[in-house]
Amino acid sequence: MKEITFEEQKLIFKFIHKKHNFAKHIHEDKYMIGVCLHGESYFTMDNQEYKMTKGMICLIPANTVHSCKSFEVAGKWQYLTCFIPKEFFNTIVSSIYESNDDYSFKKYFIEDTKLAEYLEQIIKSTLNSEKVFDDEIISFITLFCEKYISFENKIKTFKNEKFEALFTYLKEEQYNLKELSFYDMAKVMNMNPYYFHRIFSKSIGLTPQTFINFLRVSKATKLLQNYDSLADVALECGFYDQAHFTKEFKKYHGITPTRYKNIF
């Protein structure tokens, strides 16, 4: 994994070569663009299933609930991915079009040999070099948008207007993650907790508790490199114990916290 920053935006590049399965989750305010090198995966997004095979590109929009099951082919499963901040992505879109509001894409799992080879080249070059290939990254996103962007058929994201006040509250992190519950979330929304639970689950595609676990795993992922003890990370992020932490972490990353720390 490599993190690079340019124009005050942080991009994350990864080479993933161990087969993972991912439970329902989101990439908060980040687009994920990836290319499959070996193997195949089945993504579920917006109540549809998509098959991704060698040479295909996938784009997972920011804040979109999705899951993934992966399978080796001839003993291999390899992906290259890049996580791009939504704000940076929007800046590029606005340089192409008069507005960057409410756009989506014609396809999210794409067979496009030339673009796939270009993306593979950019990510491999970035991972293997100290140089930031900013012009190439911007060029790829521009080409991708010009070819596949759409201003129709919006995909559902978890940034539902019904819950704007809640997501603002969560983003500001003015709460104790260890104690956060769906009762607290319902209180922010001034709703009956059981009514809140029902409409949140229906609108977002995740139960409130699943979303809270996602927040805890996200925080734990950031803390892993700074802690020697997994038990301390678990306690800091509000898990019952290390076993509970490991179980939830594997749902989102496909591997144990220890293995993740050693890889990344």
Side-chain angles (χ1 to χ4, degrees), residues 92-104:
I92 297 174
V93 173
S94 64
S95 72
I96 306 170
Y97 303 95
E98 293 183 1
S99 172
N100 63 15
D101 294 332
D102 296 326
Y103 63 85
S104 59

Side-chain angles (χ1 to χ4, degrees), residues 98-144:
E98 293 183 1
S99 172
N100 63 15
D101 294 332
D102 296 326
Y103 63 85
S104 59
F105 292 90
K106 299 172 186 175
K107 299 179 181 178
Y108 292 90
F109 299 86
I110 300 164
E111 295 184 68
D112 189 320
T113 302
K114 289 185 178 180
L115 269 182
E117 290 176 349
Y118 190 21
L119 179 60
E120 179 180 349
Q121 172 196 330
I122 291 169
I123 297 178
K124 282 184 174 179
S125 297
T126 301
L127 290 171
N128 295 326
S129 173
E130 296 303 316
K131 181 180 177 182
V132 177
F133 295 88
D134 50 352
D135 290 340
E136 297 296 333
I137 294 165
I138 293 170
S139 177
F140 172 83
I141 296 173
T142 300
L143 289 171
F144 187 92

Side-chain angles (χ1 to χ4, degrees), residues 226-237:
N226 300 322
Y227 282 71
D228 294 325
S229 168
L230 291 184
D232 289 344
V233 176
L235 182 63
E236 178 68 23
C237 296

Side-chain angles (χ1 to χ4, degrees), residues 204-221:
I204 304 303
L206 299 172
T207 67
Q209 187 56 55
T210 300
F211 188 73
I212 290 170
N213 288 340
F214 162 75
L215 293 175
R216 289 174 175 160
V217 170
S218 294
K219 181 176 181 180
T221 304

